[in-house]
Amino acid sequence: MRTYHCFWLLFWASQPHQSSLTPLSKRTSGFPGKEKVLVLSGNSRQDLHRSKRSWMWNQFFLLEEYTGTDYQYVGKLHSDQDKGDGSLKYILSGDGAGDLFIINENTGDIQATKRLDREEKPVYILRAQAINRRTGRPVEPESEFIIKIHDINDNEPMFTKDVYNASIPEMSDVGTFVVQVTATDADDPTYGNSAKVVYSILQGQPYFSVESETGIIKTALLNMDRENREQYQVVIQAKDMGGQMGGLSGTTTVNITLTDVNDNPPRFPQSTYQFRAPESMPLDSPIGRIKANDADVDENAEIEYSITEGDGYDMFGITTDKDTQEGIITVKKALDFESKNLYILKVEATNTHVDPRFLYLGPFKDSATVRIQVEDVDEPPMFSRPAYIMEVKEDVPLNSVIGTVTAQDPDAAKNPVKYSVDRHTDMDRVFNINSGNGSIFTSKPLDRETLLWHNITVIAAEINNPKQSSRVPVFIKVLDVNDNAPEFAMFYETFVCENAKAEQLIQTLSAVDKDDSYNGHQFSFSLAPEAASSSNFTLQDNRDNTAGIFTRKTRYNRHETSTYFLPVVISDNDYPIQSSTETVTIRVCACDHRGKMLSCNAEALIHPTGLSTGALIAILLCIIILLVTVVLFAALRRQRKKEPLIISKEDIRDNIVSYNDEGGGEEDTQAFDIGTLRNPEAIDDNKLRRDIVPETLFMPRRTATARDNTDVRDFINQRLKENDTDPTAPPYDSLATYAYEGNGSVAESLSSLESVTTDGDQDYDYLSDWGPRFKKLADMYGSMDSDKDS
């Protein structure tokens, strides 16, 4: 017979009770009178036996957010092996065991130590076991059970957005969808109504409504006009517990904007507009602006203006300023006060984007009357034509009238006009004009071949107001007359071979004429009368404005005649006929048997052994090279010459002569003997100086011997005076520098060379007596002595 060991689990699933933070040995009061017993098999979970009850043995319920002061009692574990003698020990493990859930190991009572939040964790899975306290071995298999947290309504609904923004067209129908708001509740939707949310509108009525279950906001008022009100702020509330009393709620704000539709036609603020325009206003110039007001915005307020009727329909135009939606009236044709001074127009303003849904509101256009008053201005004279074209023959006599220009004052006053030629367009003053009647006449001869067209400008100005003036171009074409004779197209110089035959063509001639011919030029060629019978050549007119020169005889001799000059007469066929005589130069040349020219120089045959051109060039190059060589040699010779002793030609006295000769070393004792300066008595007058040329014409003057111990400075001054008065001295000054250092120093020699000869140390105390200049030196040497003493 198999024995069964069972676990008994007692729990309380009713309302939460009060408990205090007391030791676990003290049971909390308030347990239900009826306990539920869980019987578990000791061998396996399939051997589980339980009493028939309506609850699941492994699932327990606990309310969240317990607010009591004691620990919340969960249930009790009990084993049928428990004899009540304290030999068994109950152990709890799993989610929150030991921290959130604790168990009395002696009695098996389970308690919750903290407030539980279902939204944080809705289910806890725990395991229970009973062990022998003495041996530590389990007396029951480990059993698993679930603690499920019961929800309470402790979370208010939260909207997904704090602020919603939406827009709908104005004039929308009732029930038009605006936006949908959504709120969520963190409570358990499967337990009670804690998470059942209901929507309601707190602010925004009667314009909008909200569906309680879906949160869809719709329009609730007909014909909401943006022009009256554009912005709406709606407050929506979401409440749980199905909207019942005691439920929690949250709110959100919905900003709703009405967008514009074209439901307003344009309207002119006034029915009549008045403008003034001077008659001199340029074309396309703006006269004024008008504007029709439209309560709509953006493209719904775009307006197009047009002139529908009026007596100035073709005189004016109107365009729309896209930035300001104004109508700009402009001039299309020139205004004339004398012709018409008042125009009345009808202008219409129309919306460019019309919404068919609102056509029932009336036509989306408006019209207004525009009166334009033309003002009179002092206008300049006006020519009868925009430009004048005149023709004149080039041989016309001076002061001949070639045409007339006319201009008059367009004003009602009809002021008289005077004419003049703009001399910037007629610098040579070829033409002139009668200032009273505008007739143009020539003042200088014309030449079509020099200038075909003359473009001048005529000025017409009012006599009373010369500033009022206008200009007109006058184009004068010079017509041709036959006043130029034809001439050769080029200078003709040809040759004839000595061995030429008779009737041989040697040159073809052509001619040109500066005159213009409407039917084309026709030239005729002939020899001059003086050469027609005696010439060695003949001329044949080809009747196509060309002619050919032919030989008249056989063989020509260049030694007899080397050059022939053939006069040719060229005539045209215009009236009056013009002709000219041109000369053709013909040279006699030696030719080969094919007629190719070899030489036309007669002297070349007289000296057949003459040098060729290449030989002459070679000889010329040799001569040039020889001349360059001679010039270079002469330049080198000049550089080798010595410069003169006296360099300056202006001053022959004050010159310094530099002696670059360093002498013969120690053996040279005669030139610049410094010993002589130190001992003036040792001067030998009989010795000659080596640095100057000896004078043979004059004997050297003997000077007084200097006294003993003469100073060197006095010696030098004495010798300078002697040389200044010496007639044998050369006519220039010779200055020798001896580097004289003076009389010496009171300190005598400061050199350290003599210190080598002294035995022992020197005494430098005397340095301090030399003054402040030697103070630094005295301090240095004095300190050295003191150091040695120390």
Side-chain angles (χ1 to χ4, degrees):
M1 183 177 181
R2 184 180 294 176
T3 59
Y4 296 90
H5 304 280
C6 299
F7 250 146
W8 299 90
L9 179 62
L10 306 179
F11 68 95
W12 179 34
S14 61
Q15 294 296 328
H17 58 280
Q18 301 294 328
S19 61
S20 60
L21 298 177
T22 57
L24 293 179
S25 59
K26 295 182 180 180
R27 293 287 300 274
T28 57
S29 60
F31 294 125
K34 186 178 180 180
E35 293 184 355
K36 297 179 182 180
V37 179
L38 178 63
V39 181
L40 298 176
S41 173
N43 295 330
S44 65
R45 296 179 63 92
Q46 284 87 10
D47 297 334
L48 175 64
H49 294 277
R50 63 179 178 176
S51 60
K52 293 182 180 180
R53 293 180 177 85
S54 61
W55 47 272
M56 296 296 295
W57 69 269
N58 60 348
Q59 182 169 317
F60 310 103
F61 297 91
L62 191 65
L63 289 177
E64 66 170 336
E65 302 297 339
Y66 171 68
T67 58
T69 57
D70 296 336
Y71 288 166
Q72 187 177 5
Y73 184 78
V74 178
K76 180 181 179 64
L77 294 179
H78 185 73
S79 174
D80 57 357
Q81 297 294 324
D82 190 359
K83 300 297 191 293
D85 54 0
S87 61
L88 294 183
K89 179 181 179 181
Y90 295 96
I91 300 175
L92 186 67
S93 62
D95 293 340
D99 181 20
L100 185 58
F101 300 101
I102 58 175
I103 187 172
N104 190 318
E105 61 181 13
N106 296 322
T107 62
D109 294 326
I110 302 175
Q111 291 178 310
T113 62
K114 299 179 180 179
R115 295 174 59 181
L116 302 179
D117 188 0
R118 188 201 66 83
E119 288 72 34
E120 182 179 349
K121 188 174 178 64
V123 176
Y124 294 89
I125 301 175
L126 298 172
R127 292 180 297 276
Q129 192 175 30
I131 62 173
N132 190 296
R133 188 184 297 273
R134 184 175 57 82
T135 62
R137 293 181 179 180
V139 297
E140 295 286 352
E142 187 178 57
S143 298
E144 183 178 271
F145 63 95
I146 297 174
I147 299 177
K148 187 173 182 181
I149 310 301
H150 265 314
D151 183 47
I152 64 173
N153 189 17
D154 59 344
N155 291 279
E156 69 274 6
M158 300 291 293
F159 283 94
T160 56
K161 295 181 181 179
D162 294 335
V163 177
Y164 289 82
N165 294 303
S167 62
I168 58 168
E170 62 174 333
M171 310 298 290
S172 296
D173 297 332
V174 175
T176 302
F177 174 83
V178 179
V179 70
Q180 183 177 11
V181 296
T182 303
T184 58
D185 196 318
D187 292 327
D188 189 1
T190 63
Y191 182 76
N193 294 328
S194 299
K196 186 178 181 180
V197 179
V198 174
Y199 300 94
S200 62
I201 184 168
L202 300 181
Q203 177 183 323
Q205 295 175 334
Y207 307 103
F208 301 95
S209 62
V210 63
E211 292 183 356
S212 60
E213 295 182 359
T214 61
I216 295 176
I217 301 175
K218 298 180 179 180
T219 57
L221 189 64
L222 186 64
N223 295 333
M224 286 190 292
D225 193 0
R226 183 199 66 84
E227 287 71 32
N228 293 330
R229 183 178 177 182
E230 184 177 3
Q231 298 287 340
Y232 294 87
Q233 190 176 73
V234 178
V235 178
I236 302 298
Q237 176 183 264
K239 191 174 184 180
D240 60 10
M241 298 298 292
Q244 298 177 4
M245 185 72 68
L248 303 178
S249 64
T251 60
T252 187
T253 301
V254 182
N255 295 322
I256 302 175
T257 303
L258 296 184
T259 59
D260 185 60
V261 297
N262 192 7
D263 59 339
N264 293 278
R267 291 289 181 264
F268 282 105
Q270 58 192 69
S271 60
T272 303
Y273 293 87
Q274 186 83 22
F275 296 103
R276 293 181 177 272
E279 61 176 338
S280 61
M281 179 170 285
L283 299 182
D284 298 327
S285 298
I287 296 177
R289 290 172 175 253
I290 61 175
K291 183 178 182 180
N293 298 324
D294 194 326
D296 298 321
V297 295
D298 298 333
E299 68 174 14
N300 296 321
E302 292 181 359
I303 301 174
E304 183 176 340
Y305 297 90
S306 61
I307 300 175
T308 57
E309 59 183 66
D311 53 0
Y313 180 82
D314 58 341
M315 295 292 295
F316 304 95
I318 188 169
T319 57
T320 302
D321 189 334
K322 298 301 182 182
D323 296 329
T324 62
Q325 296 301 315
E326 293 177 315
I328 305 174
I329 301 175
T330 58
V331 180
K332 292 175 60 177
K333 292 184 179 180
L335 302 177
D336 188 5
F337 174 81
E338 290 71 25
S339 300
K340 188 176 180 60
N341 57 16
L342 179 62
Y343 295 90
I344 299 176
L345 310 175
K346 185 178 180 180
V347 178
E348 188 174 79
T350 307
N351 277 141
T352 56
H353 301 279
V354 179
D355 194 337
R357 296 178 301 169
F358 305 102
L359 291 177
Y360 68 91
L361 297 177
F364 282 78
K365 59 184 178 180
D366 194 15
S367 60
T369 301
V370 178
R371 298 170 58 89
I372 301 175
Q373 182 74 40
V374 180
E375 297 177 343
D376 186 26
V377 296
D378 190 5
E379 298 176 276
M382 293 183 61
F383 284 93
S384 60
R385 300 179 190 176
Y388 292 85
I389 299 177
M390 302 178 182
E391 294 181 348
V392 59
K393 290 186 177 182
E394 61 178 329
D395 62 345
V396 68
L398 296 180
N399 298 322
S400 298
V401 176
I402 62 176
T404 302
V405 297
T406 58
Q408 63 179 359
D409 185 10
D411 298 324
K414 301 298 180 182
N415 294 320
V417 177
K418 64 177 180 179
Y419 303 92
S420 61
V421 177
D422 186 356
R423 291 307 173 187
H424 293 91
T425 60
D426 186 21
M427 302 292 290
D428 297 331
R429 297 180 176 269
V430 180
F431 302 96
N432 213 332
I433 190 170
N434 189 310
S435 62
N437 58 19
S439 59
I440 301 175
F441 56 90
T442 60
S443 58
K444 287 186 178 181
L446 303 176
D447 186 6
R448 187 201 70 85
E449 288 71 35
T450 303
L451 186 60
L452 177 61
W453 285 92
H454 294 268
N455 303 327
I456 66 174
T457 300
V458 175
I459 303 173
E462 295 182 7
I463 296 178
N464 299 333
N465 187 9
K467 293 183 178 180
Q468 292 295 335
S469 62
S470 58
R471 298 166 174 263
V472 68
V474 180
F475 306 102
I476 303 173
K477 183 179 181 180
V478 181
L479 301 179
D480 183 49
V481 294
N482 192 23
D483 58 347
N484 291 280
E487 56 187 12
F488 280 150
M490 57 180 293
F491 174 73
Y492 289 103
E493 182 179 4
T494 185
F495 71 95
V496 61
C497 295
E498 288 183 311
N499 56 356
K501 298 179 180 179
E503 302 298 327
Q504 183 178 346
L505 178 65
I506 62 174
Q507 182 66 48
T508 300
L509 307 177
S510 62
V512 294
D513 195 335
K514 294 181 180 179
D515 293 324
D516 188 15
S517 177
Y518 297 101
N519 298 322
H521 292 290
Q522 294 182 6
F523 303 121
S524 60
F525 299 85
S526 63
L527 292 177
E530 66 272 11
S533 58
S534 62
S535 176
N536 293 312
F537 303 91
T538 60
L539 181 69
Q540 179 181 343
D541 192 347
N542 297 328
R543 303 298 180 182
D544 59 355
N545 294 336
T546 64
I549 299 176
F550 295 86
T551 58
R552 175 174 285 184
K553 65 178 183 177
T554 301
R555 301 192 65 83
Y556 293 83
N557 191 344
R558 56 178 169 163
H559 300 293
E560 296 178 359
T561 304
S562 61
T563 304
Y564 294 93
F565 298 99
L566 186 65
V568 178
V569 178
I570 310 173
S571 302
D572 57 19
N573 64 342
D574 291 333
Y575 181 82
I577 295 176
Q578 301 287 341
S579 62
S580 64
T581 302
E582 301 287 334
T583 302
V584 179
T585 302
I586 304 174
R587 302 177 63 188
V588 181
C589 301
C591 304
D592 57 11
H593 65 280
R594 292 178 296 180
K596 184 177 181 181
M597 181 183 64
L598 296 178
S599 175
C600 297
N601 191 354
E603 288 75 9
L605 297 177
I606 300 175
H607 304 285
T609 59
L611 295 175
S612 64
T613 303
L616 292 175
I617 294 174
I619 293 173
L620 182 61
L621 290 175
C622 292
I623 294 174
I624 292 173
I625 293 173
L626 182 60
L627 291 175
V628 171
T629 304
V630 172
V631 171
L632 292 176
F633 181 75
L636 293 175
R637 288 287 302 273
R638 291 183 62 186
Q639 291 182 358
R640 292 179 180 179
K641 292 181 179 181
K642 292 184 179 180
E643 297 181 356
L645 186 60
I646 301 177
I647 299 176
S648 176
K649 297 180 179 180
E650 298 177 358
D651 189 358
I652 60 174
R653 295 187 61 191
D654 298 336
N655 292 284
I656 299 176
V657 180
S658 300
Y659 297 94
N660 295 327
D661 186 8
E662 297 182 357
E666 297 178 354
E667 296 178 356
D668 188 1
T669 58
Q670 296 184 10
F672 306 101
D673 189 1
I674 193 64
T676 305
L677 297 177
R678 299 298 183 185
N679 188 10
E681 291 81 5
I683 298 177
D684 188 358
D685 294 337
N686 296 328
K687 292 183 180 180
L688 298 178
R689 295 182 59 184
R690 297 181 181 180
D691 56 337
I692 59 174
V693 179
E695 183 64 51
T696 58
L697 298 178
F698 299 95
M699 294 299 294
R701 297 179 58 188
R702 295 187 61 85
T703 59
T705 303
R707 60 182 180 84
D708 295 341
N709 299 327
T710 301
D711 189 81
V712 175
R713 182 184 301 171
D714 298 335
F715 172 77
I716 292 176
N717 293 332
Q718 180 181 353
R719 287 295 180 263
L720 288 176
K721 292 179 181 179
E722 293 175 357
N723 282 278
D724 289 339
T725 58
D726 188 1
T728 62
Y732 53 85
D733 294 339
S734 177
L735 176 62
T737 302
Y738 297 99
Y740 175 67
E741 295 182 357
N743 295 327
S745 173
V746 295
E748 298 180 354
S749 176
L750 297 179
S751 174
S752 59
L753 296 176
E754 297 179 0
S755 62
V756 180
T757 59
T758 61
D759 297 331
D761 298 331
Q762 287 184 324
D763 185 12
Y764 297 98
D765 294 337
Y766 61 89
L767 294 176
S768 57
D769 300 331
W770 288 0
R773 294 185 179 181
F774 296 89
K775 183 177 185 303
K776 184 66 177 178
L777 190 62
D779 294 340
M780 292 173 58
Y781 282 84
S783 60
M784 291 176 59
D785 295 340
S786 61
D787 292 339
K788 291 180 180 181
D789 297 337
S790 60

